Amino acid sequence: MTLDEERLNQHVQTALTDFGATAHAPLVVIGDKLGLYETLADAGPLTSAGLAEETATVERYVREWLRSQAAGGYVTYDPETDRYSLTPEQAALLADENSSAFMVGNFQVAMSAARIEPQLAEAFRTGEGVGYHEHEAGLFHAIEYSWRPQYAANLVDNWIPALDGVDAALETGGRVADVGCGHGASTVLMAEAYPESTFVGIDYHEPSIEAARERAEEAGVADRVDFEVATAKSYDGADYDLVATFDAFHDMGDPVGAAAHVRETLTDDGTWMIVELFANDRVEENLNPMGRAAYSISTLICTPCALNQEAERVLGAQAGEEGVREAVTDGGFTRFRRAAETPLNLVFEVKP
């Protein structure tokens, strides 16, 4: 077989980039944990010695870390002064937890998910699922850390107002179920924004529900927020004005059955808001950085999770608008539209 040297070199460069990114991921987590990014944003430009002093860390480690970050474009280096800094854009990505561009949690998700690689490799051979609950505890915190900035930036100001009549209903007092709530970030944000409404957060993962209860107490909304350990097909309650599912519908082993249950628990004019990862409908339209990240995380977390359940219809994290539409209409809904979108998410309004 004759190799095309130019094409081979392109593949080598791609692999080298990926190898660097893989080695870079734990350094992003370390930089966040030790306050290196935050300190650079607040006190930079700094030398490696200055950053080490500010963060009570060791200069030789910090020096190597800074050079790695600068080589990856995450930190800005000035060779004339031998100082490092963050541009406003780099700070939004790495140092500001309230920024919609904050990405540190995504690195935590990837690292946490990869820790059960041996179990996942075996699942490839057997076809068995790997439940969400089988991951190490760090993953659950990482997912909250990853998605909360998106919800904080968009949920109350953009996504709910894009739904027909929902904002007004919650302003005057509505009933809301947050299905697949995880640590309750979305539930608490809605409760803070709509003090006249009541909320129920639902998740099958009991440790996440325990964390969600703590978040509600800390936010001072526990008097209007309950949490229930249940699946999307079995949760209690009825006559909800809004059911919301954030980045979790594609994790369900029977999304059609879940849709049918949501339909039963909504009021006749209620709304189901489904927030999903951004995806186009055709595979070839998702062969890009967003698709690559989503397909990869879907292989590590979402698809094994659904296969661990009924596995009636395993959507995966890049099901696209049509894949979601088909599942919810098969579950009994008749009205479906894309209400909003961001570079990372699609927001669907579903009505009976």
Side-chain angles (χ1 to χ4, degrees), residues 174-348:
R175 284 172 46 79
V176 181
D178 186 356
V179 179
C181 68
H183 282 193
S186 51
T187 322
V188 170
L189 285 167
M190 289 189 289
E192 290 175 325
Y194 298 103
E196 300 301 317
S197 293
T198 58
F199 300 82
V200 179
I202 297 147
D203 203 288
Y204 94 95
H205 187 239
E206 187 168 358
S208 289
I209 288 295
E210 292 171 359
R213 290 179 177 134
E214 293 177 5
R215 301 293 191 274
E217 288 283 355
E218 292 166 0
V221 297
D223 59 323
R224 294 181 295 105
V225 179
D226 292 321
F227 289 97
E228 176 187 353
V229 178
T231 70
K233 293 171 58 177
S234 66
Y235 66 87
D236 293 329
D239 295 325
Y240 289 111
D241 300 290
L242 173 68
V243 173
T245 304
F246 296 92
D247 296 293
F249 186 60
H250 63 266
D251 296 312
M252 298 174 185
D254 182 11
V256 174
H261 188 64
V262 171
R263 175 68 185 85
E264 293 173 355
T265 63
L266 274 176
T267 62
D268 289 339
D269 59 348
T271 300
W272 184 16
M273 175 171 60
I274 302 176
V275 178
E276 281 287 301
L277 287 168
F278 189 98
N280 297 297
D281 292 324
R282 298 171 62 86
V283 171
E284 60 268 29
E285 296 171 333
N286 294 321
L287 303 183
N288 50 49
M290 176 64 193
R292 181 191 192 205
Y295 280 130
S296 296
I297 289 299
S298 184
T299 308
L300 292 171
I301 304 172
C302 313
T303 298
C305 178
L307 287 169
N308 188 62
Q309 302 167 48
E310 301 90 336
E312 293 289 339
R313 187 182 304 191
V314 179
L315 294 175
Q318 291 285 272
E321 183 168 341
E322 285 308 307
V324 176
R325 181 197 302 271
E326 289 174 4
V328 300
T329 54
D330 287 350
F333 285 90
T334 62
R335 288 176 286 172
F336 179 99
R337 73 178 179 95
R338 183 187 300 196
E341 64 182 77
T342 72
L344 296 181
N345 286 110
L346 295 174
V347 181
F348 303 116

Side-chain angles (χ1 to χ4, degrees), residues 4 29 60 78 95 124 139 146 159 214 220 226 243 333:
D4 183 320
V29 174
R60 189 62 188 88
D78 183 351
F124 268 68
L139 177 67
S146 171
W159 295 347
E214 293 177 5
D226 292 321
V243 173
F333 285 90

Side-chain angles (χ1 to χ4, degrees), residues 22-46:
T22 304
H24 178 77
L27 299 183
V28 172
V29 174
I30 289 170
D32 178 66
K33 181 182 295 185
L34 298 180
L36 301 178
Y37 292 123
E38 185 177 2
T39 301
L40 271 182
D42 293 341
L46 292 169

